[in-house]
Amino acid sequence: METNNTDISRRSFLGGVAGVGALAALGLAGCSPKAAGTAEAKDASGSASTAVANSNAVAVDDGSAAITVDWLGAAPEIAEKDIAETKDTDLVIVGAGNGGMVAGAYASDQKMDFILCEKGTEVGATRHWFNAVDTKPFVDQGIRTDRARLHGEWARYSSGTCDHNLINMWMNESDAMFEYIDRYMSAAGAVVIADDFAMPGGMGATPFYTPCGEHHYGNAQGGRDGVPVRNELFQKVMKDNGYEISFGHELVKLVTDDSGKVTGAIFKTDNGYTQINAKKGVLLTTGGYSANPAMLSALSPITTASVTALGYNQNNDGMGIKAALWAGAVKDITSATMIFDRGLVAPGTTAGYTADSVKSGKPQFPGNGQFNPGTQPFLKVNTKGERFALESADYDYLPHAAAQQPGGVYISVWDGNFGEDVQRFHTLGCSAGTRMGIQAAKKEDGTYDLAKYFEKELADGRLQKADTLEALADKLGFDAEAKKTFLATCERYNELFDKQADEDFGKEAYRLSELRTPPFFGATLGGTLLTTIDGIRINKDCQALGTNFEPIEGLYCAGDCSGSLFSGNYPDQMHGVACGRTMTEALHVVKLVSGK
């Protein structure tokens, strides 16, 4: 039958689950962000609802472990009489984050007729690290990207689901993106830093390709004091060009004509509904769905089973993705989240939304923020005291592995040689912040003042410290059998260090460490959720694809609300590619629409 293929394609936005029946994971319909760390959930009638958010088996009212949850719902019906204001423009940009702000700045430079709408009251948080291919800071050093290998690495990470033409677009145009950003950042006194990327010792017992290309900015001394915040700088660029951001504009739905072309968008404002008609199209730069417990629980249960802390923008509730789906677009089948292994919590805490917060209808994770040393490849054990994974591979590898362990959390252990160890480990990307930051705690004799460096975490009880491993085991909550196992695991780890050979898991010798020099430290960890990176399928021009995988006229997506690049996880050794592709995609769309 002709309808079968279309029907199957339409269902694919639910990650392949909707086509076979009820979602296995419970979620919450109609979630909107509230204060940091919380997300209020309401169903279609406006009443609060509850959910099983992860594998920790939080009870629901009827005791069910699986019910059907429609996290998407139907597009809201907005009567014409309810539209308080109508505006006309050429291009509507939705979302003032990393993609939206570079798009807005460039569009204002071109004197385009456009409107940039943002649901919040200020521009989104700036992701300072971004990747661009073969830029002047690297080329001047004689360093270039192996593009063929980069293609292969991206395909490996995504299990082949990436769009190679879209990757080509990013590789070919990311240098121009960098030049545009550098023009304003340099004029504001910032100095570009082209990070080191070589990892000759390897990582995770696998020859990862770590391409050059990560950029960020510092001052003349290499610090961040006085360095402009990029998104705020682009807001000033827009203002200097005579443009203002339309804050307090919450996306409700997209407007389409009879042919399916997207012709504008409807927003909820303090003054009622505003419809903005767009002659040339709508660009969604609305971010992912990390702040929407319904979508996260239903689409990425591995995330809610392994995360202990939030690090995401509370405005990222997936509304752009939902609006595009209502307009006929399709979504990536497989989820992908950016998780850092830095969700420090107190001993005894488990991963996932807390039971009390789920029952209250405001699901939240127990922790907040990032504990950068969590990424360092020290010994890590489960709550039984057992070593369970290769610690050298960072970011989401450990949280994902821990999702298969009791409580979804794990414990990282190190001794008084922490400062020397992290220098030898030489982790890359933002995890390099630990080996750089510890220098501030270096004493005149060359040793490190660890009590000073860990002062905050020790004071609030999340990090434990003891003079013996046995005392540390007690503070970490290991019971009799688990304590014996933990101490035996530490002894075995010391043996492996002495041999300079990890006979159990294959970790690189230079990333082994010993546990003999007091004081000893123990950190209970899970993942810190930064963002989701699966979204609306797009082509090389960032056009949203419909159920027939043909472009939807007038609809463009860039950044975390778009898809076609990632699957399962973030390519953690391709540092900065998420933000780099976001800004490159956003610029590509504005150049395409403007013809400049």
Side-chain angles (χ1 to χ4, degrees):
M1 291 169 38
E2 288 185 0
T3 56
N4 283 348
N5 289 338
T6 300
D7 189 38
I8 291 171
S9 296
R10 181 72 185 117
R11 295 180 202 146
S12 68
F13 67 75
L14 282 177
V17 181
V20 295
L23 297 174
L26 297 179
L28 302 171
C31 299
S32 58
K34 291 295 182 182
T38 69
E40 183 177 7
K42 295 185 178 181
D43 61 25
S45 65
S47 60
S49 55
T50 58
V52 170
N54 54 42
S55 60
N56 291 338
V58 178
V60 293
D61 293 342
D62 63 359
S64 172
I67 61 174
T68 301
V69 175
D70 184 6
W71 59 262
L72 177 61
E77 295 292 337
I78 308 297
E80 189 174 346
K81 64 180 179 61
D82 293 329
I83 303 295
E85 184 179 17
T86 300
K87 299 179 182 180
D88 296 296
T89 189
D90 283 345
L91 176 67
V92 175
I93 303 170
V94 187
N98 296 303
M101 290 310 300
V102 71
Y106 186 84
S108 72
D109 280 342
Q110 307 309 315
K111 304 302 179 183
M112 281 187 67
D113 182 7
F114 77 98
I115 298 175
L116 172 54
C117 297
E118 162 60 39
K119 67 187 297 184
T121 58
E122 59 186 8
V123 298
T126 297
R127 185 67 182 165
H128 296 286
W129 300 267
F130 64 92
N131 200 296
V133 176
D134 294 340
T135 62
K136 191 174 186 298
F138 283 101
V139 172
D140 283 352
Q141 301 175 60
I143 303 171
R144 288 186 178 272
T145 298
D146 184 335
R147 298 191 180 204
R149 193 173 180 190
L150 182 56
H151 264 291
E153 198 75 350
W154 212 310
R156 177 171 70 155
Y157 273 111
S158 68
S159 298
T161 62
C162 56
D163 185 314
H164 286 267
N165 288 318
L166 184 59
I167 296 171
N168 277 336
M169 187 278 286
W170 167 67
M171 289 198 297
N172 293 335
E173 299 183 19
S174 60
D175 178 45
M177 174 271 292
F178 163 74
E179 291 291 342
Y180 181 74
I181 289 171
D182 190 61
R183 169 180 141 200
Y184 282 109
M185 293 294 287
S186 294
V191 178
V192 65
I193 299 172
D195 272 346
D196 63 332
F197 63 94
M199 192 166 51
M203 183 202 79
T206 302
F208 284 89
Y209 178 48
T210 54
C212 61
E214 184 182 62
H215 305 73
H216 61 107
Y217 285 85
N219 54 31
Q221 292 74 42
R224 287 204 53 82
D225 291 343
V227 177
V229 177
R230 188 181 66 247
N231 287 348
E232 295 175 5
L233 177 62
F234 283 152
Q235 183 180 12
K236 181 178 183 300
V237 171
M238 287 181 58
K239 187 173 183 180
D240 290 345
N241 287 333
Y243 295 80
E244 295 288 343
I245 299 171
S246 296
F247 290 111
H249 279 56
E250 181 178 353
L251 178 64
V252 175
K253 63 184 293 187
L254 298 171
V255 179
T256 59
D257 64 15
D258 293 339
S259 70
K261 175 182 177 181
V262 171
T263 59
I266 297 176
F267 300 87
K268 182 180 180 181
T269 73
D270 290 340
N271 298 321
Y273 292 113
T274 295
Q275 178 169 325
I276 304 179
N277 300 318
K279 297 177 184 177
K280 296 184 178 181
V282 174
L283 169 58
L284 297 176
T285 56
T286 52
Y289 54 90
S290 53
N292 188 324
M295 293 180 70
L296 198 64
S297 298
L299 299 178
S300 188
I302 186 68
T303 299
T304 53
S306 60
V307 165
T308 55
L310 66 85
Y312 49 80
N313 186 331
Q314 289 289 299
N315 283 338
N316 290 350
D317 63 355
M319 192 59 219
I321 295 173
K322 293 171 67 172
L325 292 173
W326 290 330
V330 291
K331 182 189 172 297
D332 285 332
I333 292 175
T334 306
S335 69
T337 49
M338 187 182 291
I339 299 173
F340 288 157
D341 44 356
R342 302 171 186 167
L344 181 66
V345 288
T349 306
T350 57
Y353 298 118
T354 65
D356 289 344
S357 70
V358 170
K359 291 177 182 178
S360 72
K362 300 178 180 180
Q364 58 183 313
F365 295 109
N368 193 355
Q370 299 187 47
F371 177 63
N372 198 278
T375 299
Q376 298 302 310
F378 290 107
L379 169 66
K380 294 179 172 66
V381 300
N382 62 17
T383 56
K384 295 180 180 180
E386 303 167 333
R387 189 182 181 199
F388 64 96
L390 171 61
E391 303 94 346
S392 186
D394 52 18
Y395 294 0
D396 55 7
Y397 288 83
L398 264 298
H400 281 179
Q404 325 303 320
Q405 302 295 320
V409 295
Y410 53 96
I411 295 91
S412 183
V413 187
W414 60 86
D415 72 0
N417 293 315
F418 174 90
E420 295 79 5
D421 287 339
V422 299
Q423 301 305 318
R424 184 178 70 258
F425 295 157
H426 199 82
T427 60
L428 300 177
C430 53
S431 66
T434 296
R435 61 179 162 87
M436 297 175 182
I438 189 67
Q439 297 304 318
K442 196 168 187 177
K443 297 184 288 188
E444 291 185 1
D445 63 0
T447 61
Y448 296 89
D449 187 346
L450 299 185
K452 175 183 177 182
Y453 183 68
F454 295 121
E455 182 177 8
K456 176 183 176 181
E457 294 81 11
L458 290 169
D460 64 28
R462 291 177 297 161
L463 183 63
Q464 301 302 309
K465 172 186 171 185
D467 290 331
T468 66
L469 286 171
E470 185 171 357
L472 181 66
D474 293 333
K475 289 188 174 183
L476 291 170
F478 288 114
D479 60 21
E481 285 302 314
K483 181 177 179 179
K484 292 179 182 178
T485 301
F486 170 73
L487 294 175
T489 301
C490 292
E491 183 178 353
R492 172 60 176 167
Y493 200 67
N494 281 335
E495 292 175 2
L496 298 177
F497 174 81
D498 291 341
K499 293 180 179 181
Q500 283 296 284
D502 184 0
E503 300 170 342
D504 298 339
F505 288 86
K507 184 190 292 186
E508 299 81 7
Y510 80 103
R511 287 191 165 179
L512 291 170
S513 56
E514 59 183 333
L515 293 165
R516 293 189 172 107
T517 304
F520 301 96
F521 297 84
T524 301
L525 297 162
T528 295
L529 174 59
L530 185 65
T531 185
T532 59
I533 48 178
D534 56 298
I536 300 302
R537 298 291 299 184
I538 58 175
N539 62 14
K540 64 180 180 180
D541 284 329
C542 305
Q543 294 174 288
L545 300 180
T547 56
N548 58 358
F549 293 96
E550 292 294 328
I552 296 175
E553 188 178 357
L555 181 57
Y556 303 88
C557 300
D560 293 347
C561 68
S562 70
S564 303
L565 286 178
F566 305 108
S567 177
N569 68 336
Y570 174 69
D572 61 299
Q573 294 308 302
M574 290 156 56
H575 306 115
V577 298
C579 187
R581 66 100 184 199
T582 292
M583 295 191 292
T584 303
E585 289 172 349
L587 275 179
H588 179 89
V589 172
V590 176
K591 291 177 180 179
L592 183 69
V593 171
S594 68
K596 300 178 182 179

